[in-house]
Amino acid sequence: MDEPVSSQPGESAAEEVQAEAEEVEEPPRGFLEEINCPEPGIIDRQMIETAYLEEGQKGEARRLHQLEPVVYDRITTMRLEFKNILRIDHLWMMPNLTKLCLNCNKIEVIEHLEMLTALKDLNLSFNYITRIENLEALVNLEKLSLFSNRIRKIENIHTLQNLVILSIGNNLIDTVEGIERLRFVSSLKVFNLEGNPIAKQPDFPLSLYVTAILPQLNYYEYVFIKAETREEAQKRFYRELREIEDKQEREIQGLETEAREMAEADRLASSFVEHLDGQQLYDSLWRDDGNGRILMLVGAPAQELCEEYSKDVYELTQQIYRLGLERFGERDEEIRDFNANLHEGQEELQAQGQKQIEEFLQYKERTFDKMRLKWIELDQRDDDLEELQAQLDTLTAHFEDALNEMWESLMAQELHLHEAVEDSTHNFNRKISDLMANFVEQAQVTFQQLRDLCSHFADNMTDIVNQFLSTKLMRNELNAIPEELMQCVDDREAVLQLVEGMRTSHTSRVDEREDRLAQRSRQFIDDMIMSLNNKEVDRHRAKILEINSFMEMMTEALANLPGELHQEAPSD
């Protein structure tokens, strides 16, 4: 059976697990196949709205709940059991969902859940799921039930770092492979594998194996794991545990190294100085440089000059590299401050608006109570009807005026916030652009020094090659001249052509790297500002829709008030 979320170790938690498990009796497998259902379908908007409007309230609370408009952002719980659902879809409409019950359906694939990052409780038991997948985005998930499906392997769960309860009972799992991956889920306290083929092997104590391999567990199959049981398990599976621990340690070290490398790569990419921390730029100068390779055939003097050239290029690229990291720190701090201030301003205004709405709702209840009394009195009296109607009209007018005033106030606050965000973004754009322009200008000074260095190297190489050829001719050692340089013996202009080709190749590589830095820095600003503007437009539109939806709900509630009283009259 499916287990409850329990974060408190101890005997009381075991009782809580058992009590909640007994509270909801799950149907047997055959029940789903025998029940008279419509054709299997897909979760759609109508299904979601129907389930929301029919959820657990009773009496007057239920009637009022069904009069409210469906605001998807406010839905935190969705129960879609026994709906004959074949495929999951449209759940992205409810981004703040924390509990989702899809048990007792015909779902075959776990899909389309990536937008539900707030989800804490997911029940997919009693379906036809064959593989655990597509759960990586559910970073806040605490309880996952896959009880009674068709799963054959434990996989793709180790990324759920907040998972407390995992039930995979009554599936087709016949191997312990994958259980050791749950060691990475340090929050896991309750685990269930009952009813799987692996649990039915008479010569293999699965409960002891799980207890040994997963030391963080407090409960296995609803039973609290006692200290003596844990000790027995560790002795029984000592060798397997040591192998798993050694493998896990190596994997953790590898993951840490990979994470550091990725973080450093991201930092360098965001600094626009990636591949400038070593000899990468210098090596690129010689890439596809046939002229330079021919000139280097003169031997030791060219090699010595090249070594000096390498050191000078490295020193200059290091200047650009250090400059990029330094300026990245300044930009990153500026971006964090901007986002923090923006969020603070939005939160403050949202709190003001929420307080205003709560005060209005209290006013609404007081006014509606007065209007109900007037309507009842109007129905029961035969005289002074005009006076009562006038009083009702006055109450209605005051309510409508108050509603309009609140709408104007909320809209004014929202428009003020929208304009403030636009101004802040504009100022931020100007400031970050100035910082980036300053960085590019400083880097361009060093790139110019690199180009000058390329030209200086080319000039020195011309002298070395000419001296080499002159020496060989003077000594009549033509056989010692490389074949590729023989054309330069009778035509000294050929040396200049080779050198110029090398110079052009090297400086073009420097130009390309400089252009790349400048273009990426501009693109970075454009993309960031566009993202900020698009995000604000989406937020602003959603807020306007929310305000207008609230107005419509209040107007509709006012219009429905007389009809509600007439519907209640026969029962009085």
Side-chain angles (χ1 to χ4, degrees):
M1 299 296 287
D2 186 22
E3 297 100 341
V5 175
S6 174
S7 58
Q8 298 292 332
E11 298 289 350
S12 60
E15 296 173 359
E16 180 184 345
V17 168
Q18 187 66 42
E20 189 169 333
E22 294 171 351
E23 182 180 343
V24 180
E25 183 176 356
E26 302 282 13
R29 168 70 67 181
F31 180 82
L32 290 178
E33 298 171 352
E34 296 174 2
I35 192 171
N36 183 19
C37 291
E39 288 297 317
I42 302 175
I43 298 175
D44 56 19
R45 182 188 295 265
Q46 182 178 356
M47 183 184 294
I48 291 172
E49 290 189 359
T50 301
Y52 173 74
L53 294 174
E54 293 179 353
E55 68 180 12
Q57 288 91 344
K58 297 180 180 179
E60 179 68 8
R62 179 183 177 89
R63 185 182 63 78
L64 293 176
H65 174 67
Q66 292 183 339
L67 292 175
E68 296 177 355
V70 179
V71 182
Y72 294 99
D73 286 354
R74 297 178 182 174
I75 299 177
T76 58
T77 299
M78 179 54 55
R79 308 190 69 96
L80 295 171
E81 304 111 323
F82 299 103
K83 301 294 184 182
N84 216 34
I85 297 167
L86 181 65
R87 287 189 55 198
I88 303 171
D89 206 348
H90 283 85
L91 297 179
W92 53 266
M93 300 168 62
M94 301 174 287
N96 296 314
L97 212 58
T98 59
K99 182 174 182 177
L100 175 62
C101 297
L102 295 172
N103 47 301
C104 304
N105 285 291
K106 295 184 178 179
I107 299 168
E108 298 177 347
V109 178
I110 303 174
E111 59 185 345
H112 302 147
L113 299 176
E114 57 274 6
M115 295 297 290
L116 306 183
T117 55
L119 199 63
K120 292 185 177 182
D121 187 343
L122 175 60
N123 190 343
L124 286 165
S125 50
F126 294 97
N127 279 286
Y128 301 142
I129 297 166
T130 59
R131 187 166 186 263
I132 304 173
E133 58 186 340
N134 302 322
L135 297 173
E136 297 81 6
L138 307 184
V139 294
N140 291 301
L141 196 64
E142 296 177 353
K143 178 182 178 182
L144 173 61
S145 178
L146 294 164
F147 190 87
S148 198
N149 278 277
R150 297 174 179 178
I151 298 166
R152 295 185 175 274
K153 182 180 179 182
I154 299 174
E155 57 184 340
N156 301 322
I157 297 178
H158 64 281
T159 58
L160 303 177
Q161 292 301 304
N162 289 303
L163 194 64
V164 177
I165 293 179
L166 174 62
S167 174
I168 323 179
N170 270 27
N171 277 277
L172 304 177
I173 300 170
D174 59 1
T175 174
V176 296
E177 181 184 355
I179 294 178
E180 77 283 355
R181 304 298 296 165
L182 299 177
R183 291 172 61 89
F184 289 96
V185 187
S186 59
S187 59
L188 188 64
K189 302 301 178 186
V190 182
F191 185 40
N192 178 24
L193 272 175
E194 67 170 313
N196 283 286
I198 187 63
K200 300 175 182 178
Q201 297 181 9
D203 57 343
F204 183 73
L206 180 62
S207 61
L208 288 181
Y209 180 82
V210 171
T211 300
I213 301 306
L214 303 179
Q216 75 273 33
L217 287 185
N218 288 340
Y219 301 93
Y220 180 68
E221 294 187 2
Y222 310 111
V223 178
F224 179 72
I225 301 174
K226 298 180 180 179
E228 52 266 30
T229 303
R230 202 180 299 275
E231 184 177 352
E232 178 188 355
Q234 291 174 352
K235 290 180 179 179
R236 171 66 173 79
F237 292 99
Y238 175 81
R239 181 178 300 176
E240 292 85 348
L241 182 58
R242 293 289 82 79
E243 292 177 357
I244 290 173
E245 286 177 341
D246 291 342
K247 184 178 179 181
Q248 180 182 7
E249 184 177 355
R250 290 194 298 271
E251 182 175 355
I252 290 175
Q253 291 175 351
L255 290 173
E256 289 176 349
T257 300
E258 182 181 355
R260 286 194 299 269
E261 291 174 350
M262 291 182 63
E264 181 63 13
D266 290 342
R267 187 170 73 103
L268 293 179
S270 300
S271 305
F272 317 114
V273 292
E274 71 278 17
H275 309 310
L276 290 177
D277 55 329
Q279 292 285 8
Q280 300 97 323
L281 180 59
Y282 174 77
D283 292 340
S284 73
L285 301 181
W286 297 97
R287 192 180 307 131
D288 302 325
D289 180 18
N291 296 317
R293 282 194 293 272
I294 292 174
L295 294 171
M296 290 299 297
L297 294 175
V298 300
Q303 291 292 341
E304 293 175 1
L305 180 64
C306 199
E307 289 177 5
E308 184 179 348
Y309 181 40
S310 170
K311 293 178 182 178
D312 292 340
V313 170
Y314 175 76
E315 183 179 341
L316 290 175
T317 55
Q318 281 294 294
Q319 291 182 20
I320 300 174
Y321 173 73
R322 290 191 293 269
L323 176 67
L325 295 183
E326 180 183 342
R327 293 296 179 266
F328 166 76
E330 294 177 2
R331 290 195 307 274
D332 193 50
E333 183 177 355
E334 193 69 35
I335 292 170
R336 286 199 305 269
D337 288 346
F338 171 77
N339 287 329
N341 292 333
L342 188 65
H343 180 72
E344 182 180 350
Q346 291 174 344
E347 287 290 317
E348 181 180 353
L349 196 62
Q350 183 177 356
Q352 292 178 4
Q354 187 63 35
K355 181 180 179 181
Q356 201 168 351
I357 289 175
E358 291 173 358
E359 291 175 351
F360 179 83
L361 289 175
Q362 293 175 3
Y363 163 75
K364 171 212 165 193
E365 291 303 320
R366 294 194 301 271
T367 302
F368 276 26
D369 286 344
K370 294 178 182 178
M371 295 177 73
R372 288 188 185 97
L373 294 175
K374 296 297 180 184
W375 276 107
I376 293 172
E377 189 176 355
L378 188 64
D379 289 340
Q380 294 176 348
R381 289 178 57 176
D382 295 329
D383 57 344
D384 297 331
L385 297 182
E386 292 184 2
E387 182 180 351
L388 285 173
Q389 186 62 53
Q391 293 174 357
L392 271 171
D393 292 342
T394 300
L395 287 171
T396 301
H398 287 169
F399 179 80
E400 291 175 343
D401 289 343
L403 185 60
N404 288 331
E405 288 178 7
M406 191 194 67
W407 180 85
E408 291 175 358
S409 176
L410 292 175
M411 290 295 289
Q413 291 176 14
E414 174 55 31
L415 290 174
H416 173 73
L417 175 61
H418 183 59
E419 291 173 357
V421 170
E422 287 185 331
D423 290 342
S424 297
T425 303
H426 177 73
N427 294 331
F428 173 69
N429 183 11
R430 184 174 56 198
K431 189 169 186 178
I432 206 75
S433 296
D434 289 343
L435 286 174
M436 194 69 75
N438 180 265
F439 159 64
V440 172
E441 289 174 3
Q442 288 185 274
Q444 286 174 335
V445 172
T446 309
F447 277 113
Q448 182 56 51
Q449 293 174 350
L450 281 167
R451 281 188 288 270
D452 293 341
L453 185 61
C454 293
S455 295
H456 182 64
F457 173 74
D459 292 340
N460 288 338
M461 184 63 78
T462 303
D463 294 339
I464 287 176
V465 174
N466 283 330
Q467 184 177 358
F468 171 81
L469 294 175
S470 299
T471 301
K472 296 304 178 183
L473 285 172
M474 184 182 302
R475 296 176 180 176
N476 198 23
E477 296 177 351
L478 295 179
N479 292 335
I481 299 176
E483 183 180 350
E484 292 87 347
L485 286 172
M486 287 302 295
Q487 61 174 335
C488 300
V489 174
D490 298 325
D491 182 10
R492 293 305 176 91
E493 287 295 324
V495 175
L496 297 178
Q497 292 175 1
L498 288 173
V499 170
E500 190 57 34
M502 181 186 68
R503 188 201 315 267
T504 301
S505 177
H506 288 205
T507 54
S508 66
R509 294 291 182 186
V510 174
D511 291 343
E512 288 172 5
R513 190 61 183 85
E514 179 183 14
D515 291 342
R516 180 183 174 188
L517 183 146
Q519 289 172 5
R520 288 188 58 229
S521 64
R522 289 193 295 269
Q523 190 64 46
F524 168 79
I525 295 175
D526 292 342
D527 291 345
M528 180 173 58
I529 298 303
M530 180 181 295
S531 175
L532 288 171
N533 286 333
N534 290 340
K535 186 176 180 180
E536 171 56 22
V537 168
D538 291 342
R539 186 206 63 79
H540 180 59
R541 288 175 177 172
K543 192 63 179 179
I544 295 297
L545 288 174
E546 181 181 341
I547 294 173
N548 288 331
S549 176
F550 181 81
M551 292 292 296
E552 292 173 1
M553 182 176 68
M554 293 296 100
T555 302
E556 186 176 353
L558 177 64
N560 291 335
L561 187 58
E564 294 173 16
L565 292 172
H566 291 151
Q567 290 176 1
E568 295 172 359
S571 61
D572 290 340

